[in-house]
């Protein structure tokens, strides 16, 4: 059967193609009969169908997908997070169309294809845009200022000073026999060295106001909070199950929790009227709706202090959550990664661990996520913690930690640093003070522009209400404002819709990676955009 | 009030056996952990020969680190870079790191081929790299073909969280366990017949546990086969720098390069992926440097996003970036690595040979030997192999790895690692083996031609293959690495 285009049933041309003249005629004459409906059932219907089928097959085989450009060599700036890649859209959608056993282009797994798809969330797009044109006071004063990434550079001078004062002659330590490369480069326990667990337990206790102590044997260490939350999810929920999560929430959860586990996130909407505080009513409602949809809820994921709002959950709320979890027989995961980044007084923050220790609750359902990316400003070192009271979860998480272990030299360095308790105390105190200062400056600046922020006590960001500036009170309006801020104002903030906020107009602005002298410039740029919006442009 | 621990609270994965640690295979490790050998403190302890670690060139690394303090951010020279390193969490990785690793990979292959730094994706060790590749290429229930014997960790790393299956292709000693095209084809066809959707073939080259390499022609044929059938080819080249003798190593990258340079372009590069790590070649398992290198842009993109779960610490990236950019050091290191491995291998196999113990002849790579103890078995069965293994652990006090844990179809083979100890310890180990052989000289059967095992090459329904293997009445040697399906 020919598969060239000329096999298409077409009216016989008086001049068959020169290249296939002889053959052409042999085909064309019987085809003529088919086309003119003189072929009867077999020739009249079967053959055209067959021809059509083969034509399609030919097209499938020969339509080569446009090879996307090789992964862009976008030089990543040191402070950029995970910008997505804008390429590869073609190949992904094509492969999805082809079914099982297709002979078409190579198939990845369906989850692989879903993950590879470029992420168009403004959270990621904004990060990428800044990475391409980052602000620098001297080298690039017109560049984009990054307010969309919650990192903290306010206390690096302290850490640098500590490093200089406590230096080792090399990676391995002074004349330290115990720190030979042999001891560091070889296999270590996958869930982290006990000395580091001890040091982390101490650090967590100090950071959370010493109201609670942590037991190193209840800890599993892994390479960052992202694997920590993923591993915990694998332990607590099966494919297709769900977690309840108050909105607005950190956009990264959509990736960290859902990517590979197949676990769903069910939003529990919180409103500005409640200052975005979680209520059990809303929780209950969301739970029941999930049940109706046939989704099995395995747990509640809260962040405390919350991201992006910066709320701290009160003791009462924590009790209510525990009661709720008990009643429904589900887990509570408390992401306390910002516990040390408070700008209020420490008395306010209460860790879930503190509640659990004090009261007669079923501990087996409570788990805490922590890490050093925010409170100690060391995201590059990749240190995350799963803290649990459930032995079975700990055992399972320990085994899963092998996929995401912390590099041994990094563990050694941190053991040294965290064990210097005098330095750590100084650091925690100074860090809070400086965050407070930046918060006051920043929120004050926004206030002068007529932009109010939600009441918050922690985190490296503020939750700003810019709804007065948006023309259309909707997600579309919000995204238009975000776009103006990014491309005209040259300031990247995270729009509430990226955080699944149910009320449009809210934006997360991170201020802990700014220098004080840059704040007026930021305000000036935001002010300019605000003027634009007010004058109806 | 006491609350009963509710098992409903745990996921299937948390309850299940996918981690594989319940198998009796780990008894050897437990024996070592409870009684580890030490020259002075515990000279009668168990010697660890079940861990493929490369400790032969640490002195070179230490020397370099002393001479290059700026590579570490913990030194006066290096601390200036601290800030940028501490905050860096871009999943593309430090450019210097990627460039250095790409260069290193090229050097390991004698600069016969070069690697694109933009295709280098980080993962949490080779463990994480393998898992990432499996996530990218196969959905739950789909399968990868793997020639036996293979590294036991694959059962966990490729299957546990991914839900992917492994379909073994049995290779036997009749041709030195080399993968034969007919076996590959048969396994593929059988899988298809049983409605198992095969997404790819995983090769470990150089092989663990065999320590052998594939020649260029075999690699070409395999690549042609996977290409023709539109399935992926994953090459685990984690031992590529441990090739210490002839024949020369051929990497899949060279096959790809050859195909491109010749203008044939017969290979679909979207199907070819390499898994790498610094754990074996450099002896740095503690640094958790795993690499996924794919010629498929979509896989690179997908793996890169997944690398958030296993990024290499920026401090480590910084150090490795410096170290591997030093071409002189790399040259010297690779040379010393090969020379010392060759020497150690020679000494060890020589010592074994003198007491009549043979190892797989063609082995010229890896950190271990594939020891043939079939003659010491009471009978050719897994039970006999396990019994012998327990004797080796408890009497001879050596932790070696039994072939059945590698899914070897022939009982009696053992993997013995030799690169994770100093010369003295190796001598002690050899001494113990000599003593053991002398004691059991009478028990050693005369060398007789072992008839080729009727390797049950999937001549039955693959669907129940696993259940068949697990059943006590199975004629197929049962692997002690029992796995429960989660």
């Amino acid at each position: 059967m020919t598969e060239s285009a000329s096999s298409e049933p077409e009216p016989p041309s008086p001049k068959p193609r020169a290249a296939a003249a002889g053959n052409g005629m042999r085909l064309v004459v019987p085809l003529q009969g088919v086309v003119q409906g003189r072929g009867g059932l077999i020739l009249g219907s079967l053959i055209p169908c067959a021809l059509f089928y083969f034509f399609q097959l030919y097209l499938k085989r020969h339509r080569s997908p446009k090879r996307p450009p090789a992964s862009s060599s976008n030089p990543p700036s040191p402070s950029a997070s995970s910008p997505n890649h804008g390429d590869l859209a073609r190949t992904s959608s094509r492969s999805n169309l082809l079914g099982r056993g297709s002979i078409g282009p190579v198939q990845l797994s369906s989850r692989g294809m879903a993950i590879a798809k470029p992420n168009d969330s403004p959270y990621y797009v904004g990060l990428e845009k800044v990475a391409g044109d980052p602000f620098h006071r001297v080298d690039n004063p017109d560049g984009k200022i990054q307010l969309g990434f919650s990192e903290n550079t306010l206390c690096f001078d302290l850490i640098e000073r500590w490093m200089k004062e406590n230096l080792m002659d090399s990676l391995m330590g002074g004349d330290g026999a115990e720190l030979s490369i042999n001891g560091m480069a070889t296999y270590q326990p996958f869930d982290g060295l006990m000395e580091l667990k001890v040091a982390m337990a101490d650090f967590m206790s100090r950071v959370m106001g010493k109201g609670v102590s942590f037991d190193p044997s209840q800890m599993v260490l892994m390479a960052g909070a992202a694997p920590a939350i993923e591993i915990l999810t694998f332990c607590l929920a099966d494919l297709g199950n769900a977690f309840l999560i108050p909105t607005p929430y950190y956009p990264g959860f959509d990736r960290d929790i859902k990517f590979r586990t197949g676990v769903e996130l069910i939003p529990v909407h919180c409103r500005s009227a409640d200052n975005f505080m979680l209520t059990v009513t809303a929780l209950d409602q969301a739970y029941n709706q999930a049940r109706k949809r046939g989704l099995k809820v395995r747990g509640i994921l809260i962040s405390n202090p919350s991201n992006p709002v910066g709320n701290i959950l009160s003791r009462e709320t924590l009790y209510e959550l525990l009661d709720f979890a008990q009643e429904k027989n589900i887990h509570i995961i408390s992401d306390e990664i910002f516990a040390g980044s408070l700008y209020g007084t420490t008395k306010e923050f209460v860790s879930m661990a503190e509640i659990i220790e004090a009261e007669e609750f079923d501990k087996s359902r409570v788990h805490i996520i922590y890490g050093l990316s925010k409170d100690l400003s060391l995201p590059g070192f990749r240190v995350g913690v799963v803290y649990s009271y459930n032995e079975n979860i700990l055992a399972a998480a320990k085994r899963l930690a092998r996929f995401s272990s912390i590099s041994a030299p990094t563990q050694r360095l941190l053991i040294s640093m965290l064990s210097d308790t005098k330095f750590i105390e100084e650091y925690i105190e100074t860090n809070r003070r400086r965050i407070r200062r930046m918060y006051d400056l920043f929120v004050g600046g926004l206030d002068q522009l007529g932009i109010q922020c939600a009441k918050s006590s922690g985190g490296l960001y503020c939750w700003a209400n810019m709804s007065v500036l948006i023309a259309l009170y909707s997600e579309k309006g919000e995204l238009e404002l975000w776009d103006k801020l990014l491309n005209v104002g040259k300031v990247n903030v995270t729009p509430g819709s990226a955080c699944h906020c149910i009320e449009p107009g809210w934006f997360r602005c991170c201020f802990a990676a700014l220098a004080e002298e840059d704040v007026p410039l930021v305000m000036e740029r935001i002010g300019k955009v605000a003027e634009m919006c007010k004058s109806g442009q | 009030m006491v609350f009963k621990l509710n098992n409903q609270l745990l996921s299937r994965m948390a309850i299940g056996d996918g981690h594989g640690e319940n198998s009796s295979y780990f008894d050897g490790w437990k024996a070592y952990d409870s009684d580890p050998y030490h020259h002075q403190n515990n000279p009668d302890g168990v010697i660890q020969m079940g861990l493929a670690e490369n400790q032969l060139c640490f002195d070179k690394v230490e020397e370099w680190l002393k001479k290059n303090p700026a590579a570490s951010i913990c030194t006066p020279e290096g601390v200036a870079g601290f800030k940028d390193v501490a905050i860096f969490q871009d999943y593309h990785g430090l450019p210097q790191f990627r460039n250095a690793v790409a260069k290193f990979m090229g050097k390991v292959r004698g600069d016969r081929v070069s690697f694109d730094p933009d295709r280098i994706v980080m993962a949490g060790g080779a463990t994480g790299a393998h898992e990432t590749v499996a996530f990218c290429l196969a959905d739950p229930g789909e399968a990868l073909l793997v020639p036996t014997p293979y590294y036991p960790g694959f059962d966990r790393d490729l299957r546990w969280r991914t839900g992917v299956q492994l379909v073994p292709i049995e290779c036997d000693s009749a041709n030195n366990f080399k993968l034969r095209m007919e076996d590959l084809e048969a396994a593929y066809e059988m899988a298809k017949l049983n409605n198992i959707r095969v997404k790819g073939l995983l090769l470990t080259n150089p092989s663990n546990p065999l320590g052998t390499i594939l020649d260029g022609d075999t690699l070409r044929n395999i690549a042609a086969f996977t290409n023709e059938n539109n399935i992926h080819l994953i090459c685990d080249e984690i031992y590529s720098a441990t090739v210490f003798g002839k024949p020369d190593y051929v990497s899949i990258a060279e096959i790809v390069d050859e195909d491109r340079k010749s203008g044939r372009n017969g290979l679909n590069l979207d199907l070819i992926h390499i898994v790498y790590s610094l754990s074996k070649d450099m002896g740095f398992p503690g640094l958790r440097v795993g690499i996924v290198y794919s010629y498929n842009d979509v896989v690179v993109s997908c793996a890169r996003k997944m690398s958030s779960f296993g990024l290499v610490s920026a401090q480590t990236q910084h150090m490795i970036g410096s170290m591997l950019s030093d071409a002189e050091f790399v040259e010297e290191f690779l040379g010393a690595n090969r020379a010392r491995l060759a020497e150690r291998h020679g000494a060890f196999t020589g010592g074994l040979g003198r007491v009549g113990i043979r190892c797989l002849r063609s082995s010229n790579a890896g950190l271990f030997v594939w020891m043939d103890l079939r003659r010491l078995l009471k009978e050719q069965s897994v039970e006999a192999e396990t019994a012998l293994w327990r004797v080796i652990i408890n009497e001879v006090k050596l932790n070696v790895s039994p072939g059945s844990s590698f899914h070897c179809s022939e009982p009696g083979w053992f993997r013995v690692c030799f690169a994770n100890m100093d010369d003295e310890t190796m001598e002690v180990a050899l001494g113990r083996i000599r003593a053991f052989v002398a004691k059991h000289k009478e028990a050693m059967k005369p060398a007789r031609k072992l008839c080729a095992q009727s390797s049950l090459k999937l001549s039955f329904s693959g669907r129940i293959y696993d259940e068949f293997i697990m059943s006590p009445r199975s004629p197929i040697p049962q692997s002690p690495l029992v796995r429960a399906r989660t």
Side-chain angles (χ1 to χ4, degrees), chain B residues 122-183:
Chain B
M122 295 180 282
T127 302
H130 274 294
E131 198 198 32
T132 295
V133 171
F135 265 123
C136 287
L137 301 183
D139 280 311
E142 295 182 337
L144 295 174
L145 293 167
V146 198
T148 69
Y150 64 80
Y151 163 57
F154 284 161
D155 289 321
R156 172 199 57 216
D157 299 344
L158 295 166
R159 301 185 338 165
W160 193 12
R161 299 196 292 187
T162 61
V164 170
Q165 296 184 56
L166 293 182
V167 174
I169 309 170
E170 282 177 8
C171 305
D172 57 58
S173 59
N175 67 327
N176 276 328
F177 295 99
K178 188 167 129 176
L179 176 62
R180 299 187 310 176
M181 289 309 297
E182 52 261 51
D183 293 334

Side-chain angles (χ1 to χ4, degrees), chain B residues 141-148 150 154-155 158-159 164-171 179 183-192 194-202 407 456-458 460-463 465-466 469 485:
Chain B
E142 295 182 337
L144 295 174
L145 293 167
V146 198
T148 69
Y150 64 80
F154 284 161
D155 289 321
L158 295 166
R159 301 185 338 165
V164 170
Q165 296 184 56
L166 293 182
V167 174
I169 309 170
E170 282 177 8
C171 305
L179 176 62
D183 293 334
L184 170 58
E185 282 154 18
Y188 181 66
E189 288 308 316
M190 184 58 66
K192 273 204 319 204
N194 288 297
N195 278 326
I196 298 177
R197 189 166 189 213
V198 172
K199 289 306 283 283
L201 166 67
L202 169 62
H407 302 273
L456 291 112
K457 296 191 186 77
L458 297 174
F460 46 83
S461 166
R463 226 171 314 164
Y465 181 62
D466 265 293
I469 284 209
R485 282 297 182 83

Side-chain angles (χ1 to χ4, degrees), chain A residues 128-261:
Chain A
E128 204 184 300
K129 278 269 165 76
V130 175
D133 178 26
F135 169 79
H136 189 274
R137 213 173 303 129
V138 177
D139 302 331
N140 189 13
D142 289 324
K144 297 195 169 71
I145 300 182
Q146 179 67 282
L147 301 180
F149 196 49
S150 71
E151 55 185 10
N152 179 357
T153 56
L154 301 174
C155 288
F156 268 149
D157 56 325
L158 291 182
I159 303 192
E160 263 170 349
R161 196 194 67 205
W162 183 89
M163 298 282 283
K164 286 198 177 95
E165 287 169 6
N166 293 274
L167 281 175
M168 308 161 229
D169 289 335
S170 67
L171 179 70
M172 302 170 301
D175 328 277
E178 80 279 7
L179 283 181
S180 73
I181 193 80
N182 199 323
M184 271 207 294
T186 49
Y187 280 106
Q188 319 272 324
F190 286 115
D191 59 328
L193 294 167
M194 185 42 94
E195 296 102 296
L196 184 55
K197 290 187 188 179
V198 170
M200 281 297 296
D202 185 64
F203 180 71
M204 284 168 75
S205 171
R206 282 172 200 279
V207 134
M208 297 189 193
K210 299 208 190 103
V212 60
S213 70
F214 291 88
D215 180 353
S217 66
Q218 286 175 225
M219 229 180 238
V220 178
L221 302 179
M222 45 269 275
I229 190 90
E230 192 199 36
I231 284 174
L232 192 54
T233 305
F234 270 118
C235 293
L236 302 181
D238 295 315
L239 187 107
N241 293 159
F243 286 157
L244 294 171
I245 183 168
T247 66
Y249 65 80
Y250 163 55
F253 281 152
D254 286 324
R255 176 196 61 199
D256 296 345
I257 294 178
K258 303 207 282 198
F259 251 12
R260 310 192 296 186
T261 64

Side-chain angles (χ1 to χ4, degrees), chain A residues 361-412:
Chain A
F361 282 107
D362 178 6
K363 296 190 167 111
S364 65
R365 59 182 83 254
V366 173
H367 321 279
I368 295 172
I369 298 279
Y370 191 65
L372 295 182
S373 302
K374 313 294 178 184
D375 289 348
L376 202 55
S377 313
L378 300 175
F381 287 4
R382 315 310 303 146
V383 180
V385 179
V386 167
Y387 188 84
S388 176
Y389 295 86
N390 186 324
E391 269 167 20
N392 295 313
I393 298 295
L394 281 175
K398 271 196 180 90
R399 292 179 180 127
L400 287 169
R402 61 169 49 248
F403 294 106
S404 314
S405 298
I406 306 179
S407 176
T410 302
Q411 293 195 53
R412 297 273 171 211

Side-chain angles (χ1 to χ4, degrees), chain A residues 23-298:
Chain A
N23 287 336
M25 283 315 290
R26 269 186 219 137
L27 258 183
V28 160
V29 170
L31 279 180
Q32 198 175 358
V34 171
V35 165
Q36 290 168 356
R38 285 185 273 124
L41 183 64
I42 303 295
L43 292 180
S45 47
L46 217 59
I47 291 188
C49 291
L51 289 175
F52 187 63
Y53 168 72
F54 282 116
F55 179 57
Q56 275 211 306
L57 209 59
Y58 160 76
L59 283 181
K60 267 193 197 168
R61 270 212 186 115
H62 289 82
R63 197 190 329 150
S64 54
K66 236 209 268 216
R67 281 276 159 266
S71 332
S72 101
S73 39
N74 193 9
S77 77
S79 59
S81 168
S82 329
N84 58 6
H85 269 289
D87 51 359
L88 311 165
R90 283 289 170 78
T91 322
S92 32
S93 53
R94 273 224 69 227
S95 293
N96 274 334
L97 291 171
L98 302 173
R100 231 190 110 133
S102 123
I103 52 168
V106 168
Q107 286 197 60
L108 268 58
S109 62
S110 52
R111 55 192 163 191
M113 300 305 290
I115 293 174
K117 274 207 295 259
N119 197 327
D120 54 6
S121 157
Y123 176 64
Y124 295 103
V125 172
L127 293 180
E128 204 184 300
K129 278 269 165 76
V130 175
D133 178 26
F135 169 79
H136 189 274
R137 213 173 303 129
V138 177
D139 302 331
N140 189 13
D142 289 324
K144 297 195 169 71
I145 300 182
Q146 179 67 282
L147 301 180
F149 196 49
S150 71
E151 55 185 10
N152 179 357
T153 56
L154 301 174
C155 288
F156 268 149
D157 56 325
L158 291 182
I159 303 192
E160 263 170 349
R161 196 194 67 205
W162 183 89
M163 298 282 283
K164 286 198 177 95
E165 287 169 6
N166 293 274
L167 281 175
M168 308 161 229
D169 289 335
S170 67
L171 179 70
M172 302 170 301
D175 328 277
E178 80 279 7
L179 283 181
S180 73
I181 193 80
N182 199 323
M184 271 207 294
T186 49
Y187 280 106
Q188 319 272 324
F190 286 115
D191 59 328
L193 294 167
M194 185 42 94
E195 296 102 296
L196 184 55
K197 290 187 188 179
V198 170
M200 281 297 296
D202 185 64
F203 180 71
M204 284 168 75
S205 171
R206 282 172 200 279
V207 134
M208 297 189 193
K210 299 208 190 103
V212 60
S213 70
F214 291 88
D215 180 353
S217 66
Q218 286 175 225
M219 229 180 238
V220 178
L221 302 179
M222 45 269 275
I229 190 90
E230 192 199 36
I231 284 174
L232 192 54
T233 305
F234 270 118
C235 293
L236 302 181
D238 295 315
L239 187 107
N241 293 159
F243 286 157
L244 294 171
I245 183 168
T247 66
Y249 65 80
Y250 163 55
F253 281 152
D254 286 324
R255 176 196 61 199
D256 296 345
I257 294 178
K258 303 207 282 198
F259 251 12
R260 310 192 296 186
T261 64
V263 170
E264 274 301 313
L265 285 176
I266 298 176
V268 179
H269 291 296
C270 305
R271 298 170 191 282
S272 55
D274 301 317
N275 198 38
F276 296 100
M277 285 297 287
L278 177 61
T279 63
V280 174
T281 331
L283 206 56
D284 202 31
Q285 210 175 29
Y287 180 84
N288 291 329
Q289 276 175 356
R291 289 273 303 270
K292 282 204 199 94
R293 277 166 58 195
L295 280 173
K296 184 158 188 221
V297 173
R298 297 303 288 263

Side-chain angles (χ1 to χ4, degrees), chain A residues 433-447:
Chain A
R433 219 180 36 237
R434 293 183 186 178
I435 295 179
R436 170 100 233 178
R437 173 138 180 82
M438 284 306 294
Y439 170 80
D440 287 340
L441 263 178
F442 200 88
V443 171
L446 286 178
D447 189 53

